[in-house]
Amino acid sequence: MFHRQTARQAQTRLPWWALALPALAFAALLALVAAPAHADPSAAEPLVHLLGRITQAIPDLVRQVL
């Protein structure tokens, strides 16, 4: 017997990045608020590089998902 998927049976699972990215952003903002006096500009360089690579990869991820 064949069953059609109805709106109630739609998949509701989230991809891993839908939870990981907001958690990462929250942790980064919390770290900035917790210790702004200890901020060292040279320590932020790897984070800036990582965020740059992420922003470059987002359009490719969106194309793959859609």
Side-chain angles (χ1 to χ4, degrees):
M1 229 177 174
F2 293 104
H3 297 284
R4 289 189 175 190
Q5 186 175 12
T6 64
R8 288 179 292 170
Q9 296 172 336
Q11 184 179 5
T12 58
R13 293 185 55 183
L14 291 174
W16 65 269
W17 51 265
L19 295 174
L21 291 180
L24 180 64
F26 177 77
L29 290 174
L30 184 62
L32 287 173
V33 170
H38 296 83
D40 182 18
S42 63
E45 190 172 320
L47 180 62
V48 171
H49 180 68
L50 175 65
L51 290 176
R53 297 212 33 188
I54 290 172
T55 56
Q56 289 174 352
I58 287 175
D60 293 332
L61 289 172
V62 169
R63 266 188 246 116
Q64 288 180 353
V65 170
L66 299 177

